[in-house]
Amino acid sequence: MKTVFTGQRTFASALGERIDRLRRLVADAFMATVRFVFTPWGGRAAFLVFVFYAGAISIVKPSLNWDLLAYTAIVAEPRFASANALHAHIYENVHKMVGAAEWQKLVDLDDWRRGVYADAGAFASVLDFYRIKIGYLWIVEMVASVTGLMLAPHLISLFFGLATAAVFYTALVRMRIEATAALFMPVLLAAQVQWIMRVATPDAVSCFFVLAGLIVWAMRSRIAGHVLLAVAVLVRPDNFLIVAGLAMALLLSGRGCWRDVAGFAAGVGCYAVAEVLGDHIGWWPHFYFTNVSYIVDMRTFAVPFSIP
């Protein structure tokens, strides 16, 4: 009995020593990784791994959201004589790109998607909400002339998502804090860079021009920064809120100059251009559709403006 007890004790002791050794190895490896990440090369490596991972996911598993149908339909619209022909062409081409489960979500997820799938006129009526993003549509049209219509939005999102990360990293380098790049990865996560690379929306393009505009404005040239922000308004007119917010902050702080006044005027001008060239349906129908309830056929929209 004494021999068995000693053997059991020896086995338990040996197991405990191995577990303790393994724990120390893991802790040492973790600390070595942390120390490496916070070196200049380690920070760069961690940042690049994150960016390329996000880019790879966008290539391998792009998100085929409903907006893809709207933006590609507007670009293709001049080639078709009727809403029925346009509707059939867009849905047919998207159907070829997706699996059965994704197709089911695009056409049968809710009453609204079923409605615009079943009625070409209703589908055409909701395109007015997307026309106002004229800057993005111009980019899609240019890229589509080379890559094809259905592929263009995804390539644009991938490119501008990577460009956003590059601009962000360049700013860290100019501030000489690139060694801490890993600490700023949560900022990119909060900005959903890994998501906007995957979806066929103006978000990646918008994020690039807004971020580049603010960084250039703060670190290099106010004029160039305001130009980039004005382009951001053309890409997504709601970016005018950023332009207005910057102008208000400068006004209240007393740090503005004539360049900032000109930049605000450029933002106002770009918003007006988007409204006119995009043949906008109006702010109340747009607000109601986006924030209150999806309307299947905007030709029948007759909800009067009211404040609850």
Side-chain angles (χ1 to χ4, degrees), residues 28-159:
D28 290 344
F30 175 76
M31 292 307 299
T33 302
V34 170
R35 285 193 294 269
F36 173 72
V37 164
F38 288 101
T39 63
W41 283 108
R44 295 186 185 102
F47 192 83
L48 286 174
V49 167
F50 167 77
V51 172
F52 283 117
Y53 169 78
I57 291 297
S58 71
I59 295 172
V60 175
K61 196 175 181 181
S63 177
L64 297 171
N65 57 325
W66 194 90
D67 288 359
L68 173 67
L69 283 79
Y71 292 118
T72 52
I74 293 170
V75 173
E77 198 171 23
R79 308 203 312 257
F80 295 90
S82 68
N84 287 329
L86 175 65
H87 179 272
H89 173 80
I90 294 300
Y91 273 97
E92 179 183 355
N93 279 275
V94 171
H95 196 181
K96 294 176 182 177
M97 296 173 58
V98 302
E102 290 177 313
W103 174 251
Q104 192 73 10
K105 289 180 180 179
L106 288 173
V107 302
D108 199 30
L109 181 64
D110 51 39
D111 291 340
W112 184 81
R113 295 193 183 197
R114 285 190 289 271
V116 294
Y117 175 58
D119 187 344
F123 174 75
S125 74
V126 300
L127 297 183
D128 289 339
F129 296 115
Y130 299 85
R131 297 184 199 280
I132 193 172
K133 298 166 185 176
I134 59 173
Y136 177 69
L137 292 169
W138 288 341
I139 295 173
V140 172
E141 188 173 4
M142 286 188 293
V143 175
S145 65
V146 178
T147 66
L149 182 58
M150 292 299 165
L151 183 59
H154 288 294
L155 291 179
I156 291 168
S157 292
L158 174 61
F159 173 80

Side-chain angles (χ1 to χ4, degrees), residues 198-263:
R198 295 180 57 204
V199 295
T201 68
D203 293 350
V205 186
S206 172
C207 188
F208 168 77
F209 281 109
V210 168
L211 182 64
L214 292 174
I215 289 175
V216 170
W217 179 90
M219 302 181 64
R220 191 172 183 86
S221 167
R222 290 197 173 193
I223 294 178
H226 282 300
V227 169
L228 290 169
L229 290 174
V231 174
V233 174
L234 290 176
V235 172
R236 280 194 62 149
D238 52 359
N239 284 328
F240 178 71
L241 294 175
I242 296 175
V243 174
L246 178 61
M248 183 64 68
L250 292 171
L251 177 65
L252 295 176
S253 65
R255 297 178 57 190
C257 64
W258 68 267
R259 298 178 186 85
D260 299 311
V261 175

